[in-house]
C-alpha cells in the first residue's frame, strides 16, 4: 500500500534518532513501515549524521508520507535527538526506536491492539538481543508480575523497575509525557534518568508479554563496549533519579530501596565490564560507587541480591577495593576455565534464528531477567 499523505492524528509516533547508521537504517525503517495502516508516523531525526543516513531518511519520506524527516544542524546526542523528535510528534503514543534496531513482523499491530484494550500511560513490551551470528537471547517479563492483573500502579509491582531501563521497550502516552515534563538529559546512560521517573509517575502501567523489539548487539560505537571515562556520567544520571524521588513530596519514597539496589547493581555491571573502564579509572569508579552507597543508603535499609552479587554489595559497603579486584580476577579465571571445558566437550550450537525474526510470537521464551545485566540494555 502506498501512503500519499500522513494521518493528521496517528495513534503511534515512532521517534527514531539517527546518527552514523547507514548500514542499518533501512532495515529499521522498513520494519516500522511494514505496518500497513495510517495510524502510525515515523519521526526520523538526523542528528547531524556524518554519513549518508540523512539521504536515506529523505528517500523513505519521498516514497511514504508517514515518514517525517527532521534534520538537526548540530549534533545533540541521543537524548537531545529524542527530545527533538518528541517535539514534532503528533501521535497519541510515542515509541522511541534506536536506528540500528528493528521491530519484528506483527509487533506494531500487537502493540496497537494492546493500547486499544487498556489505554495505559505506559506499555512495557518484551525484547530480544540479537547478535551478529544470528544468536537471539529473549529478555521477557514472564513470571515477574505473578498473577497481578494489569494495568497496574508501580506500587503493586516495584519489580518492574528491574526490567531493561531502555526507553525503546516502553510505549508512552504523549500527553502523559507532556504533563510530567519527561525528557532525556545529556550524557551516557540517559535511559536511567528517564525510565525510572517515567514508571514512578505513571498512573497505569500495562505489560505486553510479547517480544516486540529487537536489539542489535555489538554495533560499532556501542557505549557498552567503549573504553572511556564517559562511563562516569552514569553517576549524574542516578543523581537525577534520586532528585526525582526527593522532589516528589513523598509519592516515590516507597521505591527508594529498590532504586538503591538497582543503582548499585548497575554500577557493578559497568565496573565489572572488561571494555568500559581503563585500569587507571577503575579504582576511582569504585570509590564513586562507595560514596553513592553511603550517601544514598535508605534509612530502613534495602534487600541486597543473593550470591556473588550480594558479596559485591558488601565489598562496596566496606570500601574493599582490593578484595573486589581479587574476586573479579577469580571470576575471570574461573570463567576462562569453564569456557575451555565447554569447548573441549563441543556443546550443541547456540540458539540461532533468522535476522530479523519473522514474527512477534516466534521467539522462544525464558523467564524474566531481573539481574543488573538487564538494566544495561542501553547501547
Amino acid at each position: 500500500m502506498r501512503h500519499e499523505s500522513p494521518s493528521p492524528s496517528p495513534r503511534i509516533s515512532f521517534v527514531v534518532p539517527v546518527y552514523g547508521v547507514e548500514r542499518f537504517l533501512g532495515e529499521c525503517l522498513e520494519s516500522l513501515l511494514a505496518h500497513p495502516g495510517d495510524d502510525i508516523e515515523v519521526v526520523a531525526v538526523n542528528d547531524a549524521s556524518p554519513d549518508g543516513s540523512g539521504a536515506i531518511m529523505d528517500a523513505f519520506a519521498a516514497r511514504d508520507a508517514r515518514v517525517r524527516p527532521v534534520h538537526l544542524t548540530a549534533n545533540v546526542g541521543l537524548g537531545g535527538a529524542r527530545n527533538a523528535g518528541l517535539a514534532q510528534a503528533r501521535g497519541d503514543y510515542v515509541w522511541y526506536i534506536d536506528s540500528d534496531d528493528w521491530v519484528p513482523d506483527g509487533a506494531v499491530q500487537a502493540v496497537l491492539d494492546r493500547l486499544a484494550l487498556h489505554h495505559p500511560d505506559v506499555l512495557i513490551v518484551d525484547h530480544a538481543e540479537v547478535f551478529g551470528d544470528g544468536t537471539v537471547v529473549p529478555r521477557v517479563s514472564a513470571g515477574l508480575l505473578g498473577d497481578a492483573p494489569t494495568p497496574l500502579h508501580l506500587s503493586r509491582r516495584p519489580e518492574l523497575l528491574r526490567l531493561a531501563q531502555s526507553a525503546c521497550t516502553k510505549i508512552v502516552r504523549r500527553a502523559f509525557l507532556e504533563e510530567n515534563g519527561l525528557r532525556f538529559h545529556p550524557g551516557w546512560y540517559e535511559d536511567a534518568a528517564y525510565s525510572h521517573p517515567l514508571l514512578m509517575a505513571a498512573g497505569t502501567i500495562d505489560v505486553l508479554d510479547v517480544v516486540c523489539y529487537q536489539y542489535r548487539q555489538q554495533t560499532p560505537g556501542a557505549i557498552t563496549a567503549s573504553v572511556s571515562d564517559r562511563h562516569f556520567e552514569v553517576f549524574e544520571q542516578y543523581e537525577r533519579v534520586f532528585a526525582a524521588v526527593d522532589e516528589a513530596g513523598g509519592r516515590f519514597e516507597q521505591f527508594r530501596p529498590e532504586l538503591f539496589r538497582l543503582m548499585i547493581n548497575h554500577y557493578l555491571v559497568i565496573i565489572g565490564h572488561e571494555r568500559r573502564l581503563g585500569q587507571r579509572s577503575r579504582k576511582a569508579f569504585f570509590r564513586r560507587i562507595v560514596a553513592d552507597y553511603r550517601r544514598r543508603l535508605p534509612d530502613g535499609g534495602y534487600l541486597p541480591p543473593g550470591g556473588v552479587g550480594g558479596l559485591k554489595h558488601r565489598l562496596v559497603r566496606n570500601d574493599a577495593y582490593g578484595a573486589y579486584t581479587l574476586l573479579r580476577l577469580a571470576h575471570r579465571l574461573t570463567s576462562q576455565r569453564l569456557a575451555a571445558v565447554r569447548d573441549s566437550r563441543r556443546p550443541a550450537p547456540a540458539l540461532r534464528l533468522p535476522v530479523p525474526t519473522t514474527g512477534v510470537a516466534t521467539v522462544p521464551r525464558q523467564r524474566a531477567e531481573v539481574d543488573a545485566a538487564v538494566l544495561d540494555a542501553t547501547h
Side-chain angles (χ1 to χ4, degrees):
M1 178 187 298
R2 181 176 176 82
H3 297 268
E4 301 290 351
S5 59
S7 169
S9 56
R11 185 67 168 152
I12 295 178
S13 292
F14 295 103
V15 173
V16 185
V18 175
Y19 183 86
V21 289
E22 62 181 353
R23 284 177 53 196
F24 310 114
L25 181 57
E27 182 180 2
C28 173
L29 296 179
E30 290 282 9
S31 74
L32 304 177
L33 298 172
H35 176 72
D38 288 325
D39 44 3
I40 67 165
E41 68 171 356
V42 179
V43 182
V45 182
N46 176 14
D47 190 19
S49 183
D51 61 4
S53 295
I56 294 173
M57 287 169 41
D58 290 340
F60 271 87
R63 81 180 204 212
D64 194 320
R66 294 177 298 172
V67 179
R68 294 200 293 123
V70 177
H71 295 277
L72 303 181
T73 57
N75 179 262
V76 296
L78 177 60
R82 286 173 173 170
N83 293 339
L86 176 61
Q88 299 295 322
R90 300 174 303 193
D92 298 326
Y93 283 84
V94 174
W95 190 350
Y96 294 106
I97 305 288
D98 285 349
S99 49
D100 53 348
D101 299 330
W102 71 94
V103 302
D105 293 346
V108 176
Q109 190 59 55
V111 166
L112 286 166
D113 291 344
R114 188 71 179 196
L115 292 175
L117 186 62
H118 294 304
H119 309 285
D121 288 335
V122 180
L123 174 64
I124 301 174
V125 298
D126 289 340
H127 71 279
E129 297 172 358
V130 184
F131 294 83
D133 63 357
T135 301
V136 177
V137 180
R139 303 291 191 184
V140 301
S141 56
L144 191 62
L145 291 174
D147 56 1
T150 56
L152 50 72
H153 188 270
L154 185 63
S155 59
R156 295 186 58 195
R157 282 293 184 273
E159 299 90 339
L160 289 174
L161 291 168
R162 302 180 190 180
L163 293 175
Q165 291 177 348
S166 172
C168 302
T169 58
K170 299 168 184 70
I171 297 93
V172 188
R173 190 166 59 85
R174 185 165 61 91
F176 168 75
L177 289 173
E178 298 296 344
E179 292 160 6
N180 290 274
L182 289 164
R183 297 293 188 273
F184 293 90
H185 297 279
W188 285 8
Y189 302 102
E190 67 285 319
D191 282 357
Y194 169 82
S195 179
H196 292 323
L198 173 79
L199 295 181
M200 289 189 292
T204 52
I205 302 171
D206 198 6
V207 178
L208 178 58
D209 183 23
V210 173
V211 171
C212 292
Y213 194 87
Q214 306 283 63
Y215 279 110
R216 191 187 306 273
Q217 299 296 301
Q218 300 174 342
T219 53
I223 71 167
T224 50
S226 302
V227 176
S228 172
D229 281 347
R230 290 202 63 186
H231 291 287
F232 281 79
E233 293 174 15
V234 71
F235 296 107
E236 299 173 25
Q237 302 295 2
Y238 277 97
E239 190 75 25
R240 296 179 175 114
V241 171
F242 282 94
V245 176
D246 295 339
E247 296 165 4
R251 289 187 302 123
F252 301 162
E253 196 61 35
Q254 61 188 307
F255 306 121
R256 190 182 293 272
E258 184 68 29
L259 289 171
F260 177 85
R261 176 184 182 274
L262 294 170
M263 176 187 73
I264 300 301
N265 279 352
H266 199 172
Y267 292 168
L268 288 169
V269 166
I270 296 169
I271 194 174
H273 199 287
E274 293 295 330
R275 297 188 302 276
R276 298 199 195 183
L277 294 169
Q279 195 58 42
R280 288 182 295 180
S281 299
R282 203 173 298 277
K283 185 174 183 179
F285 195 93
F286 189 87
R287 296 288 184 242
R288 289 289 301 272
I289 300 176
V290 171
D292 269 14
Y293 188 103
R294 295 176 174 176
R295 185 164 60 103
R296 295 288 182 196
L297 181 65
D299 292 338
Y302 75 108
L303 180 64
V308 175
L311 174 58
K312 292 178 181 178
H313 278 239
R314 292 194 293 275
L315 294 176
V316 169
R317 181 185 66 198
N318 294 311
D319 193 9
Y321 180 70
Y324 170 79
T325 58
L326 290 175
L327 177 66
R328 185 167 174 269
L329 176 61
H331 174 74
R332 185 165 65 248
L333 293 175
T334 301
S335 298
Q336 290 171 353
R337 284 197 294 268
L338 290 174
V341 170
R342 285 195 300 269
D343 289 343
S344 68
R345 292 176 180 174
R346 297 191 178 186
L351 168 67
R352 294 174 187 270
L353 294 176
V355 180
T357 56
T358 56
V360 297
T362 60
V363 181
R365 298 307 182 81
Q366 64 187 38
R367 195 175 186 279
E369 290 283 351
V370 294
D371 206 313
V374 177
L375 292 172
D376 214 39
T378 307
H379 65 295

